[in-house]
Amino acid sequence: FYTVIKGIDESIRFVFLTGVTRFSKVGVFSGLNNLNDITLDKQFATICGITQNELENYCKDYIENLASLEQLSYAECLLKIKKWYNGFCFSRNGESVYSPYSTLLLLQKQEFANYWFSSGNPSFLIKLLIKNQHYLPNLQNTTVDPVFFDSFDIDQINLKILLLQSGYLTISTKPVVGILSQSRIIGLVMPNYEISMSLNAYILQYIYNGDSIPAKVNLQFMEGILADNVNAFKIMITSLFADIPYNWYTNNNIAHYEGFYCSLLYAFLVGCGYSVIAEDTTNHGRIDLTLILQNRVYIFELKTIKNIKKNKQINTLNVHNKPTITDKDTTSLAQIKNKKYAEKYQNGNYDKIYLIGIEFSETERNLVDFDYEIIMF
């Protein structure tokens, strides 16, 4: 194809190719070496998306009707559309745009939904994420050197670049913390709410052989959370890991890897549509996971242990309302308290803060200790 195009170069005025990734060492592009890759050019940053001005100027009637159906003001509806479908950015200093596919379906169907999820299954990407034991929460906010944009080696595929090319990551418009402004390093983030839900739902679907989120776990958990029942987390986590097929643990050491348990819990919560902050930074350290739900905050710290403590029975969960913590205590809950993680959210915006310490056994491959404390205001 490329050789034919080059052979009639004198007859061609303009050619625009899209949906093409430039891999090296495959000879595909050897016949066409005069391409101008505009993927990340600022002047073309909005060519493949819907801008904010375009949305408001050409779709006002649809948005007003949607706002009425959602019982929102026009401004509130615009913010919700932006949260769900905006965020794609193709230049470090470029304007973010809306996904045309999902946004147009939203306006036509007049319903907020995860349209991206039904558009295709990126099984190749999911297999790479699992194979490389990638720590999923890190995808919320990561970095890449632009040098990799032009070096697609099919033998050594850069996972971040593939996620960027396929739309699951995008260029961050915010400066990278700790990186000088003149640095080439570029921040990458998940574009929006819809993409975050989709990727994590795909991962769960792959792990559970076709079930994106185990239905029984999801329903019980949501009902429990609505009732402000903290034990819903204990039941959900136990069921979630008990459902994983045993062959997932063969010929690998993922049961010993704390990131595996944290990644799966993160994927479940985000796949359910909850707002989760991974590696939540405080002045004393980093919280593993923070879940914010209306007027409540849930702070999670996870650990893996090699063996179950002698005074604990296998699969018996010890749940405490007010555990006693000492400076020498090494449990997950002790770390939350000793590092004063809750102070970050003691700002008057929340009624309750749950401090939840979770421990997984490498031999049992499941939850063996669940301790929590509630701070009420």
Side-chain angles (χ1 to χ4, degrees):
F1 172 71
Y2 303 104
T3 304
V4 172
I5 290 180
K6 189 172 183 180
I8 56 173
D9 186 67
E10 70 278 2
S11 303
I12 296 176
R13 181 177 179 183
F14 178 80
V15 175
F16 180 77
L17 303 177
T18 185
V20 179
T21 298
R22 299 184 65 173
F23 286 107
S24 61
K25 295 186 180 179
V26 293
V28 174
F29 289 92
S30 59
L32 191 65
N33 53 16
N34 58 344
L35 290 175
N36 175 21
D37 188 349
I38 64 171
T39 304
L40 301 176
D41 282 10
K42 183 178 179 180
Q43 66 183 114
F44 301 111
T46 61
I47 197 171
C48 291
I50 299 172
T51 66
Q52 189 68 37
N53 283 337
E54 288 170 342
L55 180 72
E56 295 184 41
N57 289 337
Y58 301 120
C59 308
K60 185 176 180 181
D61 291 344
Y62 291 95
I63 297 170
E64 287 178 338
N65 189 63
L66 178 63
S68 177
L69 292 172
E70 294 285 323
Q71 296 184 334
L72 299 170
S73 68
Y74 183 78
E76 289 171 337
C77 191
L78 279 176
L79 288 175
K80 188 171 182 179
I81 296 172
K82 190 170 187 176
K83 175 184 176 181
W84 273 75
Y85 307 114
N86 190 274
F88 295 95
C89 186
F90 299 97
S91 174
R92 192 201 294 251
N93 300 312
E95 179 184 357
S96 63
V97 294
Y98 291 82
S99 161
Y101 177 79
S102 297
T103 306
L104 292 177
L105 281 175
L106 163 74
L107 298 176
Q108 185 261 314
K109 296 181 181 295
Q110 293 287 289
E111 180 181 3
F112 285 94
N114 190 347
Y115 300 111
W116 185 285
F117 185 79
S118 60
S119 65
N121 191 330
S123 57
F124 177 66
L125 285 174
I126 303 305
K127 288 177 182 178
L128 280 178
L129 284 168
I130 301 298
K131 178 182 177 182
N132 297 333
Q133 297 184 10
H134 196 89
Y135 185 58
L136 299 181
N138 281 348
L139 293 178
Q140 265 193 352
N141 195 353
T142 187
T143 59
V144 69
D145 191 322
V147 70
F148 292 108
F149 291 158
D150 297 317
S151 60
F152 293 101
D153 188 340
I154 199 168
D155 297 321
Q156 295 180 330
I157 296 175
N158 187 302
L159 185 58
K160 294 178 184 178
I161 298 301
L162 277 180
L163 288 166
L164 177 65
Q165 285 274 322
S166 53
Y168 292 96
L169 289 179
T170 194
I171 294 175
S172 175
T173 56
K174 298 178 181 178
V176 181
V177 177
I179 301 295
L180 296 176
S181 59
Q182 63 268 31
S183 171
R184 285 172 50 85
I185 300 300
I186 288 178
L188 299 178
V189 295
M190 286 192 182
N192 54 47
Y193 185 66
E194 181 190 41
I195 297 300
S196 183
M197 278 197 299
S198 293
L199 181 61
N200 287 283
Y202 282 132
I203 291 168
L204 292 175
Q205 187 180 64
Y206 182 77
I207 293 174
Y208 293 102
N209 297 321
D211 199 355
S212 61
I213 298 176
K216 62 177 183 179
V217 176
N218 190 17
L219 182 60
Q220 291 175 354
F221 173 65
M222 289 187 168
E223 288 177 346
I225 291 302
L226 286 174
D228 196 15
N229 180 8
V230 71
N231 287 325
F233 283 103
K234 175 188 67 176
I235 297 168
M236 175 270 290
I237 294 170
T238 305
S239 298
L240 195 65
F241 286 94
D243 267 353
I244 297 177
Y246 76 92
N247 56 319
W248 264 84
Y249 299 99
T250 57
N251 301 319
N252 62 63
N253 62 350
I254 60 172
H256 308 277
Y257 175 49
E258 181 181 310
F260 165 69
Y261 299 99
C262 193
S263 291
L264 190 56
L265 178 57
Y266 170 84
F268 176 82
L269 292 172
V270 176
C272 286
Y274 292 111
S275 175
V276 181
I277 304 171
E279 299 289 318
D280 191 5
T281 305
T282 75
N283 60 333
H284 293 292
R286 291 184 178 181
I287 305 168
D288 281 343
L289 297 174
T290 301
L291 168 64
I292 300 176
L293 188 61
Q294 296 175 340
N295 61 343
R296 307 191 299 273
V297 177
Y298 299 86
I299 294 174
F300 296 92
E301 187 66 31
L302 287 73
K303 291 184 182 295
T304 55
I305 58 176
K306 292 186 179 297
N307 300 301
I308 300 176
K309 299 173 185 178
K310 292 181 180 180
N311 63 337
K312 294 184 179 180
Q313 298 178 1
I314 294 177
N315 293 330
T316 297
L317 305 173
N318 298 321
V319 183
H320 309 290
N321 218 15
K322 293 285 184 179
T324 301
I325 301 297
T326 67
D327 290 339
K328 295 182 179 180
D329 200 329
T330 59
T331 63
S332 300
L333 182 59
Q335 179 172 327
I336 296 174
K337 292 174 67 66
N338 290 336
K339 292 197 174 185
K340 302 177 182 179
Y341 286 157
E343 288 183 351
K344 179 174 181 175
Y345 295 98
Q346 292 176 331
N347 51 19
N349 294 329
Y350 307 101
D351 295 337
K352 291 182 182 179
I353 301 176
Y354 289 88
L355 316 180
I356 303 176
I358 300 171
E359 293 184 1
F360 294 91
S361 164
E362 295 178 4
T363 54
E364 293 303 309
R365 304 166 182 169
N366 210 326
L367 180 69
V368 292
D369 198 27
F370 183 98
D371 296 334
Y372 73 90
E373 179 173 338
I374 306 173
I375 300 175
M376 301 182 67
F377 301 98

